[in-house]
Amino acid sequence: MVTLLLDQTQLEVVLSPIERAATFHRENLRIERDTIVKVQLTGDAWTWLRGVPGPGTHIPGVLAAGTWKAAATTDFALIRRRRPSVVIDLEGDETYQRLILTTRHGLALTQALRLEVSEEAADVVEIASTAPIPVQKGGKRPVIRPRPA
């Protein structure tokens, strides 16, 4: 799973050595924050792929890693099996129009993008965990009850 770091100006997708080999990228992805126009959570990232892989690794239903090219778009994908994922649409980025990433931290990313963050890059999970808890009208905190078994 990729690690997502966020600061005031950019989102950094930190790739492990294995992910770098599979995606044919030597460095982490750095995306300017102002190019992010939409973030969507999905349970099946495979439906978001468009075009053909190149360069990258593609094992249908198991792994899609690297650059995907279509007629007028270039996307970056790092998808593993059918796990929770995030789709990030970009506008104005020099390289990609969309990022499709398997990560269990998609919700934390969406929350962190709405917050003011420091100049230092931090993990989106840490940023989201420090966010204030929303308060309902009347000054009461929301009641969270466990689901019945």
Side-chain angles (χ1 to χ4, degrees):
M1 298 251 171
V2 295
T3 300
L4 303 171
L5 302 178
L6 185 68
D7 65 20
Q8 288 180 347
T9 60
Q10 70 181 4
L11 170 67
E12 183 174 358
V13 180
V14 180
L15 303 172
S16 71
I18 292 172
E19 291 166 341
R20 288 174 197 234
T23 61
F24 290 80
H25 275 72
R26 292 182 180 175
E27 297 181 7
N28 296 333
L29 292 176
R30 288 177 181 83
I31 305 298
E32 292 299 317
R33 192 170 171 174
D34 59 356
T35 63
I36 299 172
V37 291
K38 186 171 24 171
V39 178
Q40 300 174 71
L41 304 177
T42 182
D44 187 8
W46 294 95
T47 60
W48 290 88
L49 285 176
R50 55 189 180 185
V52 294
T57 305
H58 182 225
I59 304 170
V62 178
L63 178 68
T67 302
W68 287 73
K69 296 180 181 181
T73 62
T74 304
D75 300 341
F76 179 83
L78 187 50
I79 304 170
R80 292 191 186 99
R81 302 204 182 266
R82 302 230 185 269
R83 296 186 177 153
S85 301
V86 64
V87 179
I88 305 168
D89 288 326
L90 307 171
E91 192 172 285
D93 188 74
E94 296 176 3
T95 310
Y96 299 111
Q97 284 75 43
R98 180 182 287 168
L99 306 178
I100 309 165
L101 308 169
T102 298
T103 179
R104 61 178 164 253
H105 304 303
L107 183 59
L109 173 63
T110 60
Q111 292 170 338
L113 284 170
R114 294 179 182 166
L115 301 172
E116 293 295 323
V117 295
S118 69
E119 293 179 15
E120 294 280 327
D123 193 315
V124 295
V125 175
E126 293 174 16
I127 295 170
S129 67
T130 61
I133 298 172
V135 178
Q136 293 178 345
K137 292 182 181 179
K140 295 183 180 178
R141 293 179 74 161
V143 177
I144 300 172
R145 295 189 176 95
R147 292 183 181 173

